[in-house]
């Protein structure tokens, strides 16, 4: 009985495992069906959109070509009118002169015939008058009439090769691409932003520039956010926990037109943006509070972040416009806000001075980075290396820190006496003119 019961339990276990495997198999198949449905919808929607674009484009071309042909026809007809009028005008004047001469000759004939056939008594006087009049008219002077070879003979010169040229150009105009040469590759969450990466999927396509666009999922139009030769870009001013749609295209080497757009993809960030804290007299902030400007105030001190928003595993980036440097200037991170200091060159903080000196817990390291320059970036990267037991009461805790500036970097271990899940960032400048963007 025990053996039979064990066999039943084994069979039940196998049956349950088979049922779970069947459920998993069904889920996978359903997921693949959804993928096939999405692929089919993408093909249909893109085909419909492509048809609409082609029909609209060629409709516009037809209208433009008809307008251009009508304008050219009107221009040629006006040219015919001008030549005709300018050529007919002297002929009309000559005709009037000849018609006047014919009328004069008719009058002279009637008068001469009357004089010849008149009474003998008056005939002598009439003949004298007629003869004088005939001499005065100059009957041997005739107006010159141009020969047919000397007057214009209009004709239209039409080159049939235009049709051949247009035919060849039209047959080569436009292409239908089944796949864009560039596709979006990766989205990396950043505080208040998204790092977007893309790549070429057509090895034969030589890209000169890329063009990245985005829009909120609720918006109707995309907007440009980057145009350049890089294959990644950090899109800032992104609201956390909101879907954004991205797409990218490329321009071939030596070409003016852009390639088809990539398949649009959704990206989002769950990380709140980095912000400087408000209220410190020596600094003015931008509307989004991610840019701090050292103003003309004589007040000094450390400007901290609003909250400890920097987490290990992320990259913290400062980009600055420089002013007059001072050895107490600092850019860096700290465990906690401590008022009363004029620099981050203190305990529980790591920072870089504007002259490139690196400080750990207030002590200057022997390794030094290049001096901070206008438009350059300073980045902090940290990863956790735990030395001993860590609890709510504290313990040994080590962070491996990498600070980079102007293509140089220093790497060191920062030992703390407490666990730090997140850190504050801060800056301090002695003189006005410094401006720092953090992201």
């Amino acid at each position: 009985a025990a053996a039979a019961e064990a066999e039943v339990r084994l069979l039940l276990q196998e049956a349950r495992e088979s049922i779970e495997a069947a459920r998993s198999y069904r889920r996978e198949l359903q997921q693949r069906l959804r993928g096939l449905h999405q692929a089919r919808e993408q093909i249909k929607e893109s085909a419909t959109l492509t048809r609409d674009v082609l029909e609209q484009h060629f409709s516009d071309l037809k209208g433009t070509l008809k307008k251009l042909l009508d304008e050219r026809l009107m221009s040629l007809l006006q040219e015919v009118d001008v030549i005709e009028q300018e050529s007919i005008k002297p002929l009309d004047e000559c005709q009037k002169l000849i018609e006047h001469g014919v009328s004069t000759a008719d009058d002279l004939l009637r008068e001469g015939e009357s004089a010849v056939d008149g009474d003998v008594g008056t005939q002598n006087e009439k003949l004298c008058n007629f003869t004088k009049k005939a001499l005065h008219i100059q009957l041997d002077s005739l107006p010159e009439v141009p020969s047919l070879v000397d007057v214009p003979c209009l004709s239209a010169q039409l080159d049939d090769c235009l049709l051949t040229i247009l035919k060849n150009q039209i047959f080569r105009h436009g292409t239908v691409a089944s796949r864009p040469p560039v596709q979006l590759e990766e989205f990396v969450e950043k505080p208040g932003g998204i790092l977007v990466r893309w790549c070429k999927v057509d090895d034969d396509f030589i890209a000169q520039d890329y063009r990245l666009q985005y829009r909120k999922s609720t918006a109707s139009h995309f907007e440009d956010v980057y145009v350049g030769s890089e294959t990644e870009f950090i899109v800032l001013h992104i609201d956390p926990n909101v879907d954004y749609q991205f797409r990218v295209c490329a321009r071939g080497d030596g070409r003016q037109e852009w390639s088809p757009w990539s398949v649009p993809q959704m990206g989002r960030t769950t990380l709140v943006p980095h912000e400087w804290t408000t209220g410190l007299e020596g600094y003015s902030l931008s509307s989004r509070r991610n840019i701090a400007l050292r103003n003309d105030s004589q007040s000094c001190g450390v400007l901290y972040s609003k909250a400890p928003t920097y987490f290990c595993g992320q990259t913290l980036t400062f980009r600055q416009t420089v002013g007059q440097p001072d050895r107490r200037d600092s850019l860096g991170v700290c465990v906690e806000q401590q008022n009363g200091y004029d620099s981050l060159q203190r305990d529980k903080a790591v920072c870089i001075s504007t002259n490139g000196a690196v400080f750990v817990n207030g002590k200057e390291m022997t390794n030094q980075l290049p001096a901070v320059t206008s438009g350059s970036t300073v980045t902090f990267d940290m990863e956790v290396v735990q030395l001993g037991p860590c609890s709510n009461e504290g313990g040994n805790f080590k962070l491996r820190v990498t600070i980079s500036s102007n293509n140089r970097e220093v790497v060191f271990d920062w030992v703390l006496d407490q666990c730090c899940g997140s850190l504050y960032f801060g800056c301090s400048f002695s003189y006005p003119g410094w401006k720092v963007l953090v992201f």
Side-chain angles (χ1 to χ4, degrees):
E5 185 177 349
E7 183 178 356
V8 170
R9 285 199 298 271
L10 180 61
L11 290 173
L12 284 173
Q13 180 63 27
E14 291 177 351
R16 290 190 184 98
E17 291 176 355
S18 298
I19 290 172
E20 185 58 33
R23 286 174 178 165
S24 177
Y25 180 66
R26 183 179 62 182
R27 284 195 299 270
E28 289 293 333
L29 289 176
Q30 289 173 340
Q31 184 175 355
R32 280 164 171 74
L33 281 175
R34 286 192 293 271
L36 286 174
H37 176 73
Q38 291 174 349
R40 182 179 289 106
E41 288 301 313
Q42 177 175 301
I43 293 172
K44 289 184 176 180
E45 290 177 3
S46 62
T48 300
L49 178 61
T50 302
R51 290 189 191 95
D52 293 341
V53 170
L54 288 172
E55 289 175 356
Q56 183 62 48
H57 177 74
F58 278 84
S59 176
D60 293 343
L61 278 180
K62 288 178 184 177
T64 303
L65 284 174
K66 184 179 184 304
K67 181 181 178 181
L68 291 174
L69 289 172
D70 288 344
E71 289 178 356
R72 181 56 180 164
L73 174 60
M74 185 61 63
S75 174
L76 292 173
L77 291 176
Q78 289 176 351
E79 189 175 343
V80 171
D81 292 341
V82 170
I83 295 175
E84 180 185 25
Q85 292 172 5
E86 291 180 350
S87 302
I88 291 293
K89 184 178 180 180
L91 297 182
D92 289 341
E93 294 175 352
C94 184
Q95 180 176 341
K96 291 179 180 179
L97 183 60
I98 293 174
E99 289 175 347
H100 177 70
V102 171
S103 175
T104 302
D106 287 341
D107 294 340
L108 187 61
L109 281 173
R110 285 193 296 272
E111 186 176 344
E113 291 174 352
S114 174
V116 170
D117 297 334
D119 297 336
V120 176
T122 61
Q123 189 175 21
N124 187 39
E125 183 180 355
K126 288 182 178 181
L127 287 173
C128 288
N129 292 335
F130 170 73
T131 302
K132 290 179 181 180
K133 191 174 184 179
L135 291 173
H136 179 72
I137 292 177
Q138 297 181 350
L139 296 177
D140 58 345
S141 176
L142 295 174
E144 184 176 354
V145 177
S147 62
L148 294 180
V149 296
D150 294 330
V151 297
C153 181
L154 279 69
S155 63
Q157 305 299 311
L158 301 174
D159 192 350
D160 292 337
C161 72
L162 175 62
L163 293 176
T164 303
I165 295 173
L166 287 176
K167 181 179 178 181
N168 293 334
Q169 291 293 328
I170 289 172
F171 283 166
R172 289 197 300 266
H173 182 68
T175 58
V176 176
S178 59
R179 288 179 178 83
V182 183
Q183 291 287 9
L184 295 168
E185 183 179 30
E186 185 181 15
F187 298 101
V188 180
E189 292 186 53
K190 296 290 182 179
I194 300 175
L195 172 62
V196 184
R197 292 192 175 103
W198 55 89
C199 63
K200 287 197 311 173
V201 294
D202 183 355
D203 294 335
D204 296 329
F205 184 83
I206 301 176
Q208 174 179 299
D209 292 307
Y210 298 97
R211 180 182 179 188
L212 178 67
Q213 290 189 337
Y214 84 126
R215 68 179 179 186
K216 271 188 177 181
S217 57
T218 55
S220 57
H221 298 291
F222 283 92
E223 59 180 278
D224 287 339
V225 69
Y226 173 76
V227 175
S229 59
E230 300 296 327
T231 55
E232 66 177 36
F233 183 75
I234 296 179
V235 183
L236 298 176
H237 311 319
I238 295 292
D239 295 329
N241 302 307
V242 174
D243 286 332
Y244 287 81
Q245 197 172 41
F246 296 85
R247 66 182 185 180
V248 67
C249 65
R251 180 161 49 197
D253 188 23
R255 305 295 294 268
Q256 294 295 322
E257 70 277 5
W258 292 99
S259 74
W261 289 106
S262 67
V263 177
Q265 294 188 38
M266 288 291 184
R268 64 159 47 197
T269 182
T270 58
L271 306 176
V272 296
H274 291 320
E275 294 182 9
W276 299 104
T277 191
T278 58
L280 189 61
E281 185 178 347
Y283 295 87
S284 304
L285 305 183
S286 64
S287 60
R288 291 182 175 268
R289 296 182 293 279
N290 61 338
I291 300 176
L293 172 66
R294 181 66 167 93
N295 56 36
D296 295 333
S297 172
Q298 298 299 317
S299 174
C300 61
V302 178
L303 177 66
Y304 292 102
S305 58
K306 179 181 179 182
T309 53
Y310 175 61
F311 296 87
C312 293
Q314 299 176 358
T315 297
L316 179 68
T317 303
F318 298 99
R319 183 176 296 153
Q320 55 280 318
T321 301
V322 301
Q324 181 181 344
D326 185 88
R327 65 181 185 84
R328 295 293 294 166
D329 294 340
S330 60
L331 283 168
V333 297
C334 57
V335 175
E336 58 192 8
Q337 297 180 354
Q338 292 185 11
N339 297 322
Y341 289 89
D342 62 356
S343 175
L344 284 175
Q345 299 172 20
R346 60 167 175 80
D347 189 36
K348 296 184 179 181
V350 295
C351 66
I352 177 176
S353 177
T354 53
N355 63 7
V358 178
F359 292 84
V360 182
N361 291 332
K363 297 180 180 179
E364 184 175 355
M365 296 182 60
T366 55
N367 293 334
Q368 186 165 336
L369 291 169
V372 174
T373 58
S374 187
S376 66
T377 58
V378 176
T379 62
F380 287 74
D381 292 274
M382 299 189 185
E383 58 179 333
V384 177
V385 181
Q386 194 164 318
L387 287 179
C390 185
S391 64
N392 293 333
E393 289 75 25
N396 290 328
F397 194 71
K398 181 167 69 172
L399 297 176
R400 185 151 296 153
V401 183
T402 303
I403 305 178
S404 302
S405 176
N406 287 326
N407 298 319
R408 293 267 305 278
E409 66 178 31
V410 294
V411 182
F412 56 90
D413 290 337
W414 182 24
V415 180
L416 300 170
D417 60 0
Q418 65 187 79
C419 295
C420 294
S422 58
L423 297 165
Y424 290 88
F425 57 86
C427 70
S428 64
F429 301 102
S430 299
Y431 298 100
W434 289 90
K435 183 167 67 174
V436 181
L437 164 68
V438 60
F439 59 91

